[in-house]
């Protein structure tokens, strides 16, 4: 589903940021792979512009303009 969402962005079916919550670096290699694919010309630059990873819920929310969740403390 992740790559389908990227493809839909590339085809203009949707135009939304794709954010993966990167717990313990799980998606780091996937992000590096897409970056490399853009560098080598296999994916358009727009792919990299729409794809974000973060290990912070606050940063993830701000990336898509959702007010950050309040700390329950």
């Amino acid at each position: 589903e992740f790559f389908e969402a990227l493809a839909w962005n590339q085809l203009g079916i949707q135009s939304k940021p794709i954010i993966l919550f990167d717990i313990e670096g799980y998606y780091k290699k996937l992000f590096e792979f897409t970056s490399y694919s853009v560098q080598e010309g296999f994916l358009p630059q727009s792919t990299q512009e729409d794809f974000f990873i973060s290990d912070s819920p606050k940063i993830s929310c701000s990336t898509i303009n959702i007010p950050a969740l309040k700390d329950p403390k």
Side-chain angles (χ1 to χ4, degrees), residues 9 16 23 29 34 51 66 69 72:
N9 278 0
K16 300 177 182 179
I23 299 171
K29 294 289 184 185
T34 56
F51 179 27
I66 294 177
L69 302 172

Side-chain angles (χ1 to χ4, degrees), residues 50-69:
D50 293 334
F51 179 27
F52 305 92
I53 63 170
S54 175
D55 63 356
S56 164
K58 189 178 276 189
I59 292 172
S60 296
C61 289
S62 69
T63 300
I64 55 175
N65 296 322
I66 294 177
L69 302 172

